[in-house]
Amino acid sequence: SSGINAEYGDTKSQVTGVLWSPDTGSLLTSHGHFDPNLRLWDLKENVNTSKLTGHSNMIVSIAMSPINQSVMSLSADESLRLWNVFARTNQANRSKQSSMLFSLDKIR
């Protein structure tokens, strides 16, 4: 078998999803009850570079767009958020990352 055993910081919450961007070499994780946020990780440096906030309850699912730039997160708070996490123009401004909010009440 082959692979890399990488250890990252304790998020103090369960990991509910993982996405890898081959374009940026970054990893995105989603988290549960105690930390309902997304975290962006630099795989080369093994550090958390951004904490993306907006959900008020655990994130239950994440999915990446076909062009590997945007991510949709679904939360138990009944919201969907669209994030431009891996867009090349946003790489220098990750700390200013924002999301677009969709209410599931309007989608039902």
Side-chain angles (χ1 to χ4, degrees):
S1 73
S2 64
I4 298 171
N5 182 13
E7 290 190 28
Y8 296 95
D10 183 6
T11 62
K12 306 210 183 324
S13 182
Q14 71 271 34
V15 176
T16 60
V18 176
L19 294 174
W20 172 63
S21 170
D23 296 336
T24 65
S26 300
L27 189 72
L28 183 76
T29 57
S30 61
H31 299 275
H33 293 292
F34 299 110
D35 182 23
N37 301 299
L38 297 168
R39 290 179 180 267
L40 196 59
W41 303 87
D42 181 326
L43 293 179
K44 291 178 185 168
E45 300 295 324
N46 290 343
V47 295
N48 177 214
T49 58
S50 296
K51 179 177 174 182
L52 308 177
T53 62
H55 289 297
S56 61
N57 205 330
M58 74 179 295
I59 298 171
V60 295
S61 183
I62 54 176
M64 190 180 306
S65 69
I67 58 170
N68 297 335
Q69 290 188 357
S70 299
V71 170
M72 180 71 76
S73 58
L74 170 64
S75 172
D77 66 11
E78 298 188 346
S79 68
L80 291 168
R81 288 189 177 268
L82 180 65
W83 308 86
N84 288 321
V85 177
F86 300 120
R88 293 189 189 278
T89 57
N90 287 334
Q91 292 302 306
N93 296 317
R94 287 184 190 151
S95 63
K96 297 178 184 175
Q97 190 69 45
S98 62
S99 68
M100 183 181 298
L101 174 64
F102 300 91
S103 170
L104 291 182
D105 288 335
K106 294 181 172 108
I107 295 173
R108 288 183 193 158

